[in-house]
Amino acid sequence: QVQLVESGGGLVQAGGSLRLSCAASGRTFSNYGMGWFRQAPGKEREIVAAINWSGTSTYYADSVKGRFTISRDNAKNTVYLQMNSLKPEDTAVYYCASGRNNRGLIVKAPEYDYWGQGTQVTVSS
């Protein structure tokens, strides 16, 4: 059974930082690309960042480029999202996801087959 468990969310002031973690189990972690998505109230789920199996390729949404960094540690079966210079518009539930039989860089939600339960990030102004 594949499980993805996010942690690290919370309440932070604008300009602050948070580091999200996603611990994976139940499949060979290094065989799959991983991604972080977010969903704000009343909005659709959107891609935030993605990383390929080895960590050598990454993708960022324009809204987070230069502020967020995705990384992974295959020895620990964990993917991270370092979020700096947070803005109120970054407030959302953040989800990690594991790619569907794909080791590459994945930016479309339907190409992910397992999702975590989400962690709330709230940025106050």
Side-chain angles (χ1 to χ4, degrees):
Q1 180 181 1
V2 177
Q3 285 192 317
L4 301 174
V5 180
E6 301 101 334
S7 60
L11 174 63
V12 64
Q13 288 188 332
S17 298
L18 283 174
R19 188 194 196 202
L20 304 184
S21 299
C22 172
S25 62
R27 69 185 345 183
T28 303
F29 180 71
S30 59
N31 282 352
Y32 301 94
M34 298 292 293
W36 285 97
F37 289 74
R38 67 186 181 187
Q39 187 166 21
K43 295 188 176 181
E44 293 186 354
R45 189 172 297 191
E46 62 176 359
I47 181 80
V48 174
I51 190 166
N52 72 336
W53 71 278
S54 62
T56 54
S57 293
T58 57
Y59 166 88
Y60 296 95
D62 287 344
S63 57
V64 306
K65 277 181 183 176
R67 300 188 298 122
F68 290 12
T69 303
I70 188 171
S71 62
R72 66 189 296 160
D73 186 337
N74 287 343
K76 295 182 178 180
N77 292 348
T78 303
V79 62
Y80 305 97
L81 185 68
Q82 177 67 45
M83 305 186 294
N84 298 329
S85 302
L86 283 161
K87 304 176 181 179
E89 51 264 44
D90 294 318
T91 295
V93 177
Y94 283 70
Y95 300 89
C96 71
S98 180
R100 189 188 306 274
N101 296 321
N102 192 333
R103 305 178 82 187
L105 207 56
I106 310 164
V107 299
K108 297 181 180 179
E111 295 181 16
Y112 288 90
D113 55 356
Y114 289 100
W115 296 79
Q117 82 287 351
T119 186
Q120 176 70 46
V121 171
T122 302
V123 184
S124 63
S125 56

